[in-house]
Amino acid sequence: MMSILSFLLGEKKKTASVAKERLQIILAHERSGRSAATPDYLPALQRDLVAVISKYVKIDPAHLKVHLERQDNLEVLDIKIELPEAAR
């Protein structure tokens, strides 16, 4: 019964799954065409990550770093977040 109601009323997706879908779309878009040295979406991605993480833990935006490395056909998105002592 709940699944029918969820289907009819529309169920909100979890934040993590929405973020994962967005990252997949961004990476697929970047791979499909442009090969810029620094992708233009990284600053927006960093702002979005700070906003989402700040819902749960108070962080300084300067302590979140997003970096994309390219090696041959492989792209690695490296995200480093420094959490405050109280959050650990």
Side-chain angles (χ1 to χ4, degrees):
M1 180 69 171
M2 264 324 249
S3 61
I4 294 172
L5 286 175
S6 296
F7 175 75
L8 293 175
L9 299 175
E11 187 175 335
K12 284 184 87 173
K13 290 187 174 183
K14 301 282 185 200
T15 304
S17 65
V18 172
K20 180 180 175 182
E21 288 174 11
R22 287 179 183 168
L23 281 173
Q24 289 172 337
I25 291 168
I26 290 169
L27 290 175
H29 176 69
E30 285 298 313
R31 288 181 182 146
S32 68
R34 303 185 315 236
S35 61
T38 304
D40 58 349
Y41 66 83
L42 285 181
L45 177 62
Q46 187 165 346
R47 285 190 303 273
D48 288 349
L49 287 169
V50 167
V52 170
I53 294 167
S54 293
K55 289 180 182 180
Y56 305 98
V57 178
K58 185 174 181 175
I59 62 167
D60 182 355
H63 293 152
L64 186 138
K65 304 292 182 206
V66 178
H67 179 70
L68 181 69
E69 277 186 38
R70 293 188 178 147
Q71 299 170 348
D72 301 323
N73 291 333
L74 180 67
E75 292 181 340
V76 177
L77 183 63
D78 184 28
I79 301 171
K80 295 182 181 181
I81 305 165
E82 185 179 322
L83 298 175
E85 282 294 320
R88 294 181 190 161

